[in-house]
């Protein structure tokens, strides 16, 4: 593709992202699947430009408002080329030439905009903090409270490009072997700093260049997400529930951690996601996983299996603030409940899932949020209402993780750990006393 054709393709993709109520990564994947003829280098260039525009959404909008121009995909692209690309009006005009597959010729208003922007940079001292830090107003004070001393560093880290992290499936390969395969493909890769099965790839290659993905030898998973699964500390032979399994990334890591021995139940309210996750489980060679669609967090299945599981992971739905560098569009597009609805939902899910934990078992509450309201404060409220649970400090669960941002919980941040933002608290239920009756055995997993 010519440079002009890449710009037009990016414009087309931007229109799709803006007009569809789906996460940008899903829209991008579908867009390229429908255009198999687009080459690898062109895909990379188009994706990089699109995500740059998404990461600078508020600042580009500020410049357009300053010069009285509507915030449209085309104007955003023009502003980006002038501000970050440093292109002159004539240079942009050479690309927006109306030729085959090229963007339409510039209008007089567009040429004027480019002249006004020439010599400026994307940041400006007059920008309010929510614009400069690309932070929606609802989250600004919450994040300032969470990071009173490092707010600027964390917000800057959230504006960087997320790395490509892989998790090796120990049932099919070793980290050393996969590192060798990646390097043989010409890809710079290294072992993750904290996750024992993690690999970080310095480039973002087309995924079809990674044959180990097709065989189930590796999965794409942020290092922080891998560490959340690790602190579940599931042992071979145990019974485990991933209560909000979603696409199954943590379920896969937990089941592999158990060496395919024992039993893992992957639950979610979205049956379609569980169905797609089942294919990932099969490809990974894991046969100790069963899926269970739930009507809601208080589904009757929970009551029937009360006190039946050694480990229960609640990866709760959340604001996703920890994933903003990976999903920059999530800052501005509310595709799910807002924070006011999420907080009571998280509390309800945690309380319901806790019923599944057997005496002496563990409940792990996790989010991909950076907000104390969704993390530490949720745990404190749960413990106040459930005195039979107590915190297991991180040093007891994973003594090798010495750099958590909280002494008792797993707390990962982009600036401090170069991972997505993740939180996990390990809570243990008191063992039943000799004077108390043992719970009746639960019905077979295939029932209900």
């Amino acid at each position: 593709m010519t440079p002009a054709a890449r710009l037009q393709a990016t414009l087309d993709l931007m229109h799709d992202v803006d007009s569809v109520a789906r996460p940008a990564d899903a829209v991008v994947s579908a867009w390229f699947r429908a255009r198999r003829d687009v080459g690898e280098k062109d895909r990379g260039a188009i994706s990089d430009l699109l995500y740059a525009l998404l990461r600078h959404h508020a600042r580009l909008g500020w410049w357009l408002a300053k010069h009285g121009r509507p915030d449209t995909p085309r104007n955003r692209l023009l502003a980006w080329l002038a501000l970050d690309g440093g292109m002159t009006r004539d240079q942009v005009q050479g690309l927006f030439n109306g030729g085959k597959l090229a963007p339409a010729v510039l209008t007089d208003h567009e040429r004027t905009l480019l002249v006004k922007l020439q010599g400026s940079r994307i940041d400006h001292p007059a920008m309010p903090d929510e614009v400069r830090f690309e932070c929606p107003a609802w989250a600004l004070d919450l994040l300032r409270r969470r990071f009173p001393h490092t707010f600027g560093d964390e917000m800057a880290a959230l504006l960087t490009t997320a790395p490509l992290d892989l998790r090796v499936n120990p049932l099919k390969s070793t980290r050393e072997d996969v590192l060798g395969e990646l390097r043989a493909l010409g890809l710079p890769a290294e072992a993750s700093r904290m996750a024992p099965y993690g690999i970080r790839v310095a480039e973002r290659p087309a995924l079809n260049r990674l044959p180990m993905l097709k065989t189930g030898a590796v999965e794409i998973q942020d290092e922080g997400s891998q560490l959340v699964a690790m602190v579940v500390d599931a042992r071979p032979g145990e019974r485990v529930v991933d209560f909000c399994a979603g696409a199954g990334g943590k379920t896969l890591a937990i089941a592999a951690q158990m060496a395919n021995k024992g039993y893992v139940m992957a639950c979610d309210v979205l049956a379609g996601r569980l169905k797609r996750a089942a294919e990932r489980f099969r490809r990974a060679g894991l046969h100790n996983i069963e899926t269970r669609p739930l009507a809601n967090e208080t589904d009757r299945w929970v009551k029937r299996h009360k006190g039946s599981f050694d480990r229960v992971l609640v990866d709760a739905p959340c604001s996703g603030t920890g994933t903003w560098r990976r999903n920059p569009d999530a800052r501005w597009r509310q595709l799910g409940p807002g924070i006011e609805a999420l907080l009571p939902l998280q509390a309800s899910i945690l309380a319901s899932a806790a019923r599944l934990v057997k005496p002496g078992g563990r409940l792990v509450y996790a989010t991909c949020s950076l907000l104390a309201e969704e993390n530490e404060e949720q745990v404190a409220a749960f413990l106040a209402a459930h005195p039979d649970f107590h915190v297991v400090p991180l040093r007891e669960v994973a003594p090798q993780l010495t750099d958590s941002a909280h002494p008792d919980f797993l707390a990962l941040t982009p600036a401090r750990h170069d991972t997505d933002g993740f939180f996990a608290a390990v809570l243990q239920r008191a063992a039943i006393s000799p004077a108390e009756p043992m719970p009746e055995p639960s019905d077979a997993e295939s029932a209900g």
Side-chain angles (χ1 to χ4, degrees), residues 357-372:
V357 182
K358 74 178 188 181
R362 289 182 177 179
L363 172 67
V364 179
Y365 174 74
T367 74
C368 55
S369 170
L370 294 170
L371 304 181

Side-chain angles (χ1 to χ4, degrees), residues 11-94:
L11 279 174
D12 294 341
L13 185 49
M14 288 172 67
H15 278 290
D16 283 3
V17 169
D18 283 358
S19 61
V20 178
R22 295 175 64 197
D25 60 346
V27 176
V28 171
S29 295
W31 197 87
F32 282 123
R33 279 199 304 272
R35 294 162 177 82
R36 302 284 186 183
D37 57 323
V38 178
E40 181 180 333
K41 288 185 178 180
D42 293 321
R43 287 171 181 247
I46 294 165
S47 296
D48 287 348
L49 179 53
L50 172 77
Y51 276 93
L53 293 164
L54 293 174
R55 281 194 298 273
H56 296 80
H57 176 85
R59 283 168 289 177
L60 292 171
W62 185 88
W63 279 108
L64 293 173
K66 176 179 173 64
H67 293 297
R69 302 304 301 148
D71 190 350
T72 64
R74 183 173 166 101
N75 280 341
R76 266 180 271 156
L77 178 56
L78 290 171
W80 174 254
L81 295 174
L83 292 165
D84 192 78
M87 297 178 70
T88 66
R89 181 189 64 181
D90 290 344
Q91 288 172 322
V92 176
Q93 193 165 280

Side-chain angles (χ1 to χ4, degrees), residues 371-389:
L371 304 181
E373 289 77 5
E374 298 184 275
N375 297 333
E376 293 91 343
E377 292 179 19
Q378 284 286 19
V379 172
F382 173 82
L383 292 174
H386 298 82
D388 54 333
F389 281 87

